[in-house]
């Protein structure tokens, strides 16, 4: 009597690049919500390069590095653009941290007060915008008068050497910071200045600062909860696996598990269930109810390689666990009709 060979294989596929990042510790995270602070150029004698950037909070007399602070634009920072501005079409929304102090909003400028006199040619320097990561675009400007704007940085047309602001030693400027939609933004800046006695500018490393434009999307909120300052993008990305348990972050998010604790036992399980007495291959997995912006697609195929993967799975049972559900999905094809079956749990984050 010939017996059919039944193969069960679980493939966790996120539809994203999967990489591993070693865990790192993040400093205590300060959320700038209403204070006055500046993006300040610093100078460290003897360092290579000597220029750097911090967020300096006046009230606290404290400087914050890139993994120590998150700047928060609350929901009431949303403005509706009037006609005649360079920031977008009339009626469009723009979330703005204003140039002048307003209640319950951060006041964020730029500063050359961290550089001593006489070390840079003409005592002048630049802060350059080199990268914008986020769901929308970023703009930086100064309002010069009614209907008069000096647009300094604008990611809508790409980034170039023109996306910069010039500063002098012992001086600072106030700016308006605009974002075209809500979400998490990572803005990377670079300080530049020509040292006395040299002819070419000295550049600082890129310094990435985090902005939360509220409300955050569910996935972004999950990231911010587990890594408050988002100190290492390679650690918090959807395809990273910081606890090295073989379950990437987007899967931890989708199934409601902890990305800091190895818990591979919670990953989907292949099993056999019976329906009307007939055996079927099945997957059992957890689903976090709050993970509304990730699409989970259980797929089945007769061949591991190739394009035969199909979403033909049928819900067998749902168990309510409070914040999560334990779901059993069975194959539409009985095992009695298949030589072998492969199963895949594919995840896709909404943009």
């Amino acid at each position: 009597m010939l017996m059919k060979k039944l193969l069960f294989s679980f493939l966790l596929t996120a539809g994203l690049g999967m990489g591993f990042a070693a865990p790192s510790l993040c400093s205590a995270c300060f959320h700038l919500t209403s204070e006055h602070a500046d993006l300040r150029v610093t100078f460290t004698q003897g360092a290579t390069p000597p220029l750097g950037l911090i967020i300096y909070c006046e009230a606290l007399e404290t400087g914050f590095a890139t993994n120590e602070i998150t700047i928060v634009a609350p929901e009431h920072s949303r403005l509706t653009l009037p006609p005649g501005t360079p920031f977008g079409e009339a009626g469009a929304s723009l979330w703005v941290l204003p140039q002048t102090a307003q209640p319950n909003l951060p006041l964020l400028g730029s500063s050359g007060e961290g550089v001593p006199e006489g070390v840079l040619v003409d005592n002048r320097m630049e802060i350059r915008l080199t990268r914008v990561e986020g769901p929308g675009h970023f703009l930086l400007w100064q309002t010069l008068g009614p209907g008069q704007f000096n647009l300094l940085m604008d990611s809508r047309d790409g980034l170039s050497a023109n996306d910069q602001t010039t500063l002098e030693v012992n001086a600072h400027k106030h700016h308006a910071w605009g974002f075209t939609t809500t979400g998490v933004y990572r803005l990377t800046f670079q300080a530049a200045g020509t040292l006395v006695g040299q002819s070419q500018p000295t550049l600082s490393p890129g310094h990435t600062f985090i902005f939360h434009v509220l409300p955050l999307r569910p996935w972004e909120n999950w990231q911010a909860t587990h890594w408050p300052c988002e100190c290492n993008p390679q650690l918090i990305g959807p395809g990273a696996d910081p606890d090295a348990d073989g379950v990437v972050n987007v899967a931890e998010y989708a199934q409601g598990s902890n990305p800091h604790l190895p818990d591979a036992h919670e990953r989907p399980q292949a099993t056999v269930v019976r329906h009307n007495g007939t055996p079927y291959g099945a997957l059992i997995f957890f689903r976090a109810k709050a993970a509304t912006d990730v699409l989970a697609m259980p797929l089945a195929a007769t061949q591991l390689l190739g394009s035969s993967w199909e979403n033909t799975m049928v819900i067998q049972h749902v168990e309510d666990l409070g914040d999560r559900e334990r779901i059993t999905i069975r194959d539409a094809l009985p095992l009695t009709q298949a030589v072998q079956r492969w199963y895949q749990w594919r995840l896709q984050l909404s943009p």
Side-chain angles (χ1 to χ4, degrees):
M1 177 179 178
L2 293 177
M3 296 191 64
K4 294 188 176 182
K5 183 180 180 183
L6 304 179
L7 301 182
F8 290 91
S9 176
F10 167 67
L11 303 177
L12 179 60
T13 305
L16 300 158
M18 294 188 187
F20 170 76
S24 68
L25 296 178
C26 183
S27 304
C29 184
F30 177 73
H31 283 72
L32 188 76
T33 58
S34 60
E35 300 82 356
H36 176 207
D38 290 313
L39 179 58
R40 175 177 285 193
V41 181
T42 62
F43 183 87
T44 304
Q45 186 68 45
T48 304
L51 297 178
L53 287 166
I54 59 172
I55 299 288
Y56 186 82
C57 185
E58 298 284 348
L60 301 177
E61 298 183 348
T62 301
F64 296 93
T66 59
N67 64 337
E68 297 174 343
I69 188 168
T70 293
I71 300 96
V72 180
E75 293 187 50
H76 66 266
S77 67
R78 177 182 174 272
L79 302 177
T80 300
L81 292 176
T85 77
F87 314 127
E89 296 182 358
S93 294
L94 193 67
W95 285 256
V96 178
L97 300 181
Q99 181 176 322
T100 57
Q102 295 185 20
N104 302 314
L105 287 173
L107 177 63
L108 186 61
S110 60
S111 169
E113 295 165 297
V115 180
E117 291 189 13
V119 299
L120 298 178
V121 173
D122 297 328
N123 284 320
R124 294 172 66 85
M125 69 210 78
E126 297 175 352
I127 296 177
R128 302 175 179 177
L129 177 67
T130 61
R131 185 176 176 86
V132 174
E133 296 177 81
H137 291 289
F138 165 67
L139 304 92
L140 183 81
W141 71 91
Q142 288 182 303
T143 300
L144 307 178
Q148 296 179 311
F149 308 100
N150 182 17
L151 189 55
L152 301 167
M153 301 177 185
D154 185 354
S155 69
R156 293 174 298 177
D157 57 356
L159 299 181
S160 69
N162 295 324
D163 293 286
Q164 55 88 15
T165 183
T166 302
L167 295 163
E168 296 182 357
V169 170
N170 293 326
H172 74 274
K173 297 179 180 179
H174 290 170
H175 305 285
W177 303 63
F179 303 86
T180 59
T181 190
T182 59
V184 175
Y185 291 78
R186 299 183 185 91
L187 306 183
T188 302
F189 300 95
Q190 189 174 46
T194 302
L195 298 174
V196 170
Q198 298 186 6
S199 59
Q200 297 299 318
T202 293
L203 303 177
S204 78
H207 294 263
T208 302
F209 293 96
I210 307 303
F211 291 75
H212 285 179
V213 183
L214 304 183
L216 301 185
R217 295 159 178 81
W219 160 253
E220 295 169 327
N221 189 64
W222 183 85
Q223 283 182 308
T225 297
H226 288 284
W227 297 276
C229 257
E230 303 183 43
C231 54
N232 181 356
Q234 298 301 316
L235 181 71
I236 68 175
D241 182 15
D243 56 10
D245 62 356
V247 182
V248 295
N249 283 338
V250 69
E252 301 266 19
Y253 168 63
Q255 68 186 18
S257 51
N258 190 332
H260 302 292
L261 297 176
D263 47 12
H265 63 279
E266 292 203 357
R267 64 190 297 167
Q269 302 291 322
T271 187
V272 175
V273 299
R274 288 187 174 272
H275 179 69
N276 294 332
T278 302
Y280 293 84
L283 283 178
I284 301 175
F285 61 92
F286 293 99
R287 186 187 75 85
K289 294 179 182 178
T292 57
D293 54 350
V294 63
L295 176 63
M297 297 174 286
L299 304 176
T302 55
Q303 298 291 331
L304 176 60
L305 302 179
S307 58
S308 62
W309 293 98
E310 295 181 294
N311 186 5
T312 59
M313 309 291 277
V314 179
I315 294 179
Q316 176 84 1
H317 179 70
V318 177
E319 181 183 359
D320 194 326
L321 302 175
D323 293 338
R324 299 196 299 172
E325 295 174 328
R326 188 170 184 264
I327 301 174
T328 302
I329 292 189
R330 66 172 174 84
D331 199 342
L333 183 69
L335 288 178
T336 54
Q337 299 179 21
V339 174
Q340 62 181 14
R341 293 291 276 174
W342 299 84
Y343 298 100
Q344 181 179 155
W345 191 52
R346 184 178 296 174
L347 301 172
Q348 182 176 347
L349 276 172
S350 301

